[in-house]
Structure formats: C-alpha cells, structure tokens
Amino acid sequence: MSELTPENAKVEPLINEAEIKTRIKTMAKEIAPHMEKNVVVVGLLKGAYVFTADLVRELARLGVVPIVDFMVLSSYGKSTESSGTVEVKLDCEEDLSGRQVLLLDDILDSGRTLSFAVDHLEKLGASSVLTAVLLDKPSRRNNSFTADFSGFTIDNLFVVGYGIDFAEHFREHPYVGFVKQ
Ligand code: IMP
Ligand code: MG
C-alpha cells in the first residue's frame, strides 16, 4: 500500500458548516458568563485560527470584548502522529500578569499540547486559564487533562478542515472531515 499523503488522501465529511456554527454559538453562551473583563483569548496557531475567529465574534455578540493573542507551539509536522514533546515556537505578546486567559485549540488529542500550554501561561503570570477546544478525542488521552469547554467529542479519527491540516493541506475547508486510511 502506498504512503498516505495529502495528495492521495480521501476526505469524508464529519461535521458540516451549519453544525459547527450552531455549536460555536452555544459554546459562546456557555463561556461568556465565566469571562472576566480583562480576559485575553490565546489561540494556538495554526490549527485554531478559524475557531478563534468564529468564537471571538460570537463572544462579542454577548458583550465579551477580549484582547486576542496567539502562540505557536511545535506541531505534528508532516506526519499524522505527534512527536511527543512540545516547544514554544512563538510566544504570546500580551502581558498576562494577573489576567484571566481563555486558551483555544482546535483539537484535544493526547492532551500534551494543552497541559503544556496551560502551565506555560500560568508561568507567564495568568491568574487563571480556562480552555476551550472545538474537538475532543478522549480515547487518545495520555494524561488526565480535560478542557473546560468542548465543541464536539469525536472518535479516534484524523480530521482536517476548519483550520485543521494534514501536512498544511485542507485548512480552507469550511467543514470538518476525516481522512480515510
Ligand atoms: P495533543 O497534544 O496530542 O493533544 O494534540 C493536539 C494537537 O495535535 C492539536 O493542536 C492539533 O493541531 C494536532 N492534532 C491532533 N489530532 C489531529 C487531527 O486529527 N488532525 C490534525 N491535527 C491534529
Ligand atoms: Mg495544533
């Protein structure tokens, strides 16, 4: 069998655009009551850029006006398996001391990225860190990490679209699909 690449991958729809939109509106309603006035939203690039853009605009409709910042952590690279270690490639710029952070990621998988990111943001002085993910794959968890807010629980599938990539491909899809192995 030939190696799975973005060029030969088949993407099947999993969560459509309307379902994502509805769920993010509801998530914003769940999150808004917990937001402090000077909250900083920190999105993890690149995967969470679409989720961050959509969630922040839904929060704004509910009167939550955060500062938005981003971090880049080490990623999967070209593979579909995590390397296991997490590093900061680009740190956030905002002064976090004494401020609440809402940390956003596309997918909670093994839990390594988010548990590392929460620790890191606390070291930067955040008074509290709440986490929200679009997708959660609990069957893949390597530690006891749970997100405070989660959009959809999914099976152990490799997903793409809505900002999420396979070797930098498929981020532009407005829906979430899975790569057929
Ligand atoms: P964790 O550190 O194992 O929890 O992995 C989280 C990160 O891995 C996410 O930020 C994603 O960027 C990436 N990731 C996990 N699962 C997938 C997937 O199915 N497709 C694409 N990226 C994924
Ligand atoms: Mg990521």
Side-chain angles (χ1 to χ4, degrees), residues 34-36 38-43 67 69 71 92 94-104 117-118 121-122 124-132 148:
H34 302 277
M35 294 295 94
E36 293 171 9
N38 65 351
V39 61
V40 182
V41 167
V42 176
I67 296 290
D69 205 343
M71 283 200 301
C92 48
E94 198 61 27
D95 178 7
L96 302 181
S97 22
R99 300 171 75 178
Q100 181 188 44
V101 171
L102 176 65
L103 173 62
L104 305 183
V118 169
L121 293 165
E122 285 172 348
L124 293 178
S127 55
S128 63
V129 181
L130 289 175
T131 53
D148 297 294

Side-chain angles (χ1 to χ4, degrees), residues 4-177:
L4 185 63
T5 66
E7 287 70 30
N8 67 21
K10 279 210 166 57
V11 178
E12 298 276 328
L14 183 66
I15 309 169
N16 70 37
E17 206 176 341
E19 289 172 303
I20 297 172
K21 203 178 164 99
T22 305
R23 183 66 189 112
I24 288 184
K25 267 185 190 294
T26 309
M27 284 184 88
K29 286 186 190 140
E30 293 164 3
I31 294 169
H34 302 277
M35 294 295 94
E36 293 171 9
K37 202 165 167 43
N38 65 351
V39 61
V40 182
V41 167
V42 176
L44 297 186
L45 293 176
K46 299 174 190 174
Y49 79 102
V50 180
F51 179 47
T52 304
D54 283 352
L55 184 67
V56 160
R57 286 179 290 179
E58 289 305 329
L59 285 170
R61 286 183 211 278
L62 304 172
V64 178
V65 193
I67 296 290
V68 179
D69 205 343
F70 291 97
M71 283 200 301
V72 180
L73 301 181
S74 52
S75 73
Y76 279 28
K78 295 206 181 326
S79 138
T80 58
E81 278 299 317
S82 166
S83 65
T85 52
V86 185
E87 289 165 47
V88 179
K89 286 189 173 169
L90 182 80
D91 216 340
C92 48
E93 292 188 329
E94 198 61 27
D95 178 7
L96 302 181
S97 22
R99 300 171 75 178
Q100 181 188 44
V101 171
L102 176 65
L103 173 62
L104 305 183
D105 204 6
D106 51 357
I107 308 174
L108 173 53
D109 192 46
S110 72
R112 281 192 212 102
T113 304
L114 277 177
S115 51
F116 173 90
V118 169
D119 273 3
H120 178 75
L121 293 165
E122 285 172 348
K123 281 183 193 143
L124 293 178
S127 55
S128 63
V129 181
L130 289 175
T131 53
V133 296
L134 180 72
L135 305 172
D136 185 4
K137 298 190 213 170
S139 65
R140 298 259 305 164
R141 205 76 84 250
N142 226 302
N143 54 29
S144 58
F145 192 90
T146 53
D148 297 294
F149 306 96
S150 139
F152 301 90
T153 299
I154 61 168
D155 292 336
N156 181 14
L157 297 166
F158 193 82
V159 294
V160 294
Y162 195 76
I164 303 162
D165 75 309
F166 171 24
E168 295 305 325
H169 289 68
F170 311 118
R171 293 193 199 274
E172 71 284 2
H173 288 331
Y175 59 89
V176 171

